[in-house]
Amino acid sequence: MKKSMTLLLSLIFVSSALLAGCGGNNNTSTTNGEGNKTGTNTVEATNAPATEEPVSEEPFEMTIRHTQVGADKQKRLAILEDVVKKVEGDVPGLTFKLDGVESDVNRKEKLRGEMAAGNPPQVFDLFGSPDSKIYAKENKLLDLTPILEELGIKDKFSNLDPFTYEGKIYGLPIGGSGEGFFYNKEYYNSKGWKAPTTFAELEQQLADIKADGKVPLAAASKAGWVPLMLANHLWSRYAGPEVTAKFATGEAKWTDPQVVAGFAKYKDWVDKGYFKKGELGFEYAEYTTQFTSGEAILLYDGTWKSSVFKPGQSGEGLIGKVGFFNIPPVEGGVGDQTALMRDVNNGYGFSAAVANDPRQLAAVKSFIKNLFNEEMQLRGLVEDGVLPAMKIDQNVLNENITDDLMSEIVAVLNNSQSSFPAFDSLVQADVTTEISNIQIQKLIGGQTTPEKMGEALQKVQEEANAAVE
Amino acid sequence: MNKALRNPVVFTLFVVPALILFLMFFIYPIFSSIYYSFTSWNGVSATVKYTGFSNYTKAFGDERFWISVKNNGWFILFSVFIQVPLIVIFSLLIANVKKLKGLYKTAVFMPSIMSTAVIGILWGFIYEPNIGLFNKLLSLVGINPVYWLSDERFAMLSILITNAWQWTGFYIVMVLAAILSIPGELDEAAAIDGATRFQRATRITLPLIVPIISVVIMLSIAGAMKAADIVIVMTKGGPAGSTEVMATYMIKYAITNFKYGYGNAIAVLIFAFTLVVTVLYQVLIARRTERVEY
């Protein structure tokens, strides 16, 4: 009997421990629930003064989920750490816990799981489109509009569209980027060339580089987004910078002759052997290596790549030997032929639950104030090559930029009269999947024609447009 | 028997913890997946909309899904008809070596303890078009470089070879254990009767290890149906979706695009297909080879 009793008690203990372990911490969901009780569709950051009661100095912790992991993001991490120190100084009792996670893992797995469970970190790395809109629709994000108005920085950002849902702002871009050609100046000088000013001149240079036995354009298309940077810019040159935004509304079609002309030009360059052979098997990392090793003379990439050409980085040997230019105007192309592809799609978002805790809300305000200001934006530009997401006076920019390559990049930005975002923030996810994973690789592999590619994309586009949410 | 264990209450209580774990981590996820497969849940929303069989009809009507099913089929065929015979041959060879048997066992087992990411990088170098081992060897006999991972004709084969390399050693150790557990007298008796080494291997050893080969085939089929990591690491499903398998299709076309309802439908289909293939194998082949009497 005694033995049975012992066994029984042991089992009860084990079962209790198991069940206790399975129980969730309902604190977050409770606060979420309260947040929703307000009856509003979005959880707003109220401006109610938190000073009516004495401010508590009880220690409390908040988590920042960032993606500044790895050697090449150390400078950006240093900026974040400096901001964290300032905020901790501003808000009594606050300790920030920095949770670094690889960007794709955070975006596609961790944050989504936390959002579904209702327990995201208070501050997290967030993608603007489509992620922030999906989370905002489900009341998972803090409405930042009142905070930005209070801090007086609502109009200081160059573009908040990717983070805006139903007129409210749910996230802030940490920086921006523009896409264009990096070129090997040393090689260009040896040939007596300059950055091309016409499309014909660019094509002639590509042909001459090829004839010289060099690879004209670096290429690594294992991931579809890499070749699509250039393809996107080409179809926007031929069909106009606004064309991509019109696919989702049905005002334009992927089969439009000018769009197809963009695909055809890309295919033409593939057929002429301007890209590194075997590109469908190469990773993005090899893209940079082809250029830094001198094998490829041109590299079409985002301005973030400029950070590689700094001391201690993989492109150190090319410091002072790299230039940057925009795709020259295409003869007969539609719309602004100086338009530059620019993106501000990555930044920070905040959990909706923050609105229910005045101290956390104060911390978020301080975080925004200390991170999104001229000083930090300039640090990002100078130290890390990330273009400012906020509007900064040209004179101030000129004073701070000492790097030749960055000066060229800024000059290219200033010379472009308009900009347009990359296709993946303008079309539905199904269309992005189709063009990134299938169509662009088929075009490169010679398994489709520009016309058939347009038809295949239009079919998916129409299904996506017709889909009822 | 222990007095306490004769008491049905105590007996039941012993079973309960395991039963709870089984329900929580196996039964519940399966039913939850089946439930969500009939919805258009986006993975975030608190509200879930019932959509009937639409996710399933979408999958069955999608050419890309069938390409991925076909590629899983290639995994199975390659495992059963190429990998398993190699496993048996290598096992028989290693079992008969007199010296350094431990070294051989360790060497063949090594790839199976390596991370798939590492193997992907390692084989990425071997398949590299300019400096890779394979193309260097081909160039010795005057064959032009082959773009192993970027040419649709070779990409799937390249993955299958890498996957086989990774797992062959693991199965060799299993088969080897079965060979070494065969009583030595059988082999000795056959040798006294004048059987050659080859005859002993094919007439004595091989029939006695058929049950373990059957298990190896079963495990290979199950492994082939859930293959994903090696594809992601080596080709990301490309070029142009030609190496997509069901699991990568699920990630790419459903999970990444906030279509968790559709993703769950694909997960259910993977489960169902695996179940059908393994049950068929069990019923048609494995049951006949279950027992061996010495």
Side-chain angles (χ1 to χ4, degrees), chain A residues 66 68 73-85 98 371 376 379 383-384:
Chain A
H66 66 91
Q68 318 310 330
K73 292 188 177 175
Q74 288 309 300
K75 286 171 180 161
R76 186 134 296 269
L77 179 62
I79 294 173
L80 179 65
E81 283 170 343
D82 287 350
V83 170
V84 162
K85 274 183 208 153
L98 289 179
L371 182 59
M376 290 300 169
R379 268 189 72 182
E383 293 175 17
D384 206 25

Side-chain angles (χ1 to χ4, degrees), chain A residues 1 3-4 7-8 11-12 14-15 18-19 22 107-109 112-113 115-117 130-131 134-135 137-138 140 222-224 276-284 286 295 429-434 437-439 441-443 445 447 468-469, chain B residues 2-5 7 9-10 12-17 20-21 24-25 41-47 49 58 63-64 128-130 147 149-152 232-242 244 252-260:
Chain A
M1 188 61 202
K3 267 187 177 174
S4 306
L7 280 167
L8 191 66
L11 277 166
I12 292 170
V14 171
S15 307
L18 197 70
L19 291 169
C22 296
R107 183 185 183 191
K108 292 174 183 169
E109 289 163 36
R112 285 189 195 179
M115 285 292 184
D131 301 22
I134 290 168
Y135 296 142
K137 193 177 169 191
E138 302 297 337
K140 305 284 186 188
K222 195 180 204 175
K276 162 94 177 164
K277 209 171 177 195
E279 60 179 288
L280 290 172
F282 298 136
E283 293 276 6
Y284 178 61
E286 291 165 83
E295 185 185 8
D430 282 349
V431 184
T432 301
T433 304
E434 180 66 20
N437 295 316
I438 308 293
Q439 296 304 330
Q441 294 194 336
K442 274 190 163 185
L443 190 76
Q447 297 160 283
V468 180
E469 279 296 315
Chain B
N2 190 315
K3 209 176 167 186
L5 290 178
N7 185 342
V9 179
V10 177
T12 311
L13 282 170
F14 266 113
V15 178
V16 167
I20 291 173
L21 289 173
M24 270 174 33
F25 296 111
W41 189 47
N42 66 3
V44 179
S45 176
T47 53
K49 192 180 160 196
K58 184 183 170 192
E63 184 200 352
R64 302 272 151 222
E128 216 281 333
N130 301 316
Y147 292 91
L149 297 175
S150 55
D151 189 326
E152 202 171 290
I232 292 170
V233 169
M234 296 201 73
T235 61
K236 291 187 163 68
S242 60
E244 212 80 78
K252 208 176 273 181
Y253 287 82
I255 307 298
T256 308
N257 293 352
F258 285 97
K259 291 182 176 178
Y260 280 70

Side-chain angles (χ1 to χ4, degrees), chain A residues 13 239 241 266 292 302 390 426:
Chain A
F13 174 74
Y266 194 92
T292 52
M390 299 176 83
L426 299 171

Side-chain angles (χ1 to χ4, degrees), chain B residues 222-277:
Chain B
M225 291 301 283
K226 60 186 184 190
D229 49 0
I230 192 76
V231 175
I232 292 170
V233 169
M234 296 201 73
T235 61
K236 291 187 163 68
S242 60
T243 57
E244 212 80 78
V245 287
M246 285 192 281
T248 57
Y249 173 91
M250 176 180 76
I251 295 166
K252 208 176 273 181
Y253 287 82
I255 307 298
T256 308
N257 293 352
F258 285 97
K259 291 182 176 178
Y260 280 70
Y262 188 50
N264 276 293
I266 303 298
V268 171
L269 287 174
I270 296 173
F271 178 70
F273 287 169
T274 311
L275 203 65
V276 168
V277 175

Side-chain angles (χ1 to χ4, degrees), chain A residues 63 255 447:
Chain A
T63 302
T255 48
Q447 297 160 283

Side-chain angles (χ1 to χ4, degrees), chain A residues 279-359:
Chain A
E279 60 179 288
L280 290 172
F282 298 136
E283 293 276 6
Y284 178 61
E286 291 165 83
Y287 196 47
T288 317
T289 312
Q290 289 164 22
F291 184 74
T292 52
S293 67
E295 185 185 8
I297 304 303
L298 293 153
L299 171 82
Y300 186 91
D301 209 340
T303 48
W304 60 80
K305 189 60 72 190
S306 62
S307 63
V308 166
F309 310 108
K310 288 187 187 293
Q313 303 299 319
S314 62
E316 190 176 17
L318 288 177
I319 293 174
K321 299 172 186 169
V322 179
F324 185 81
F325 64 84
N326 191 359
I327 292 190
V330 166
E331 209 172 300
V334 177
D336 176 20
Q337 291 296 304
T338 68
L340 196 71
M341 191 154 78
R342 293 186 71 172
D343 279 297
V344 280
N345 207 23
N346 185 217
Y348 282 101
F350 307 86
S351 167
V354 166
N356 302 309
D357 184 334
R359 297 176 77 200

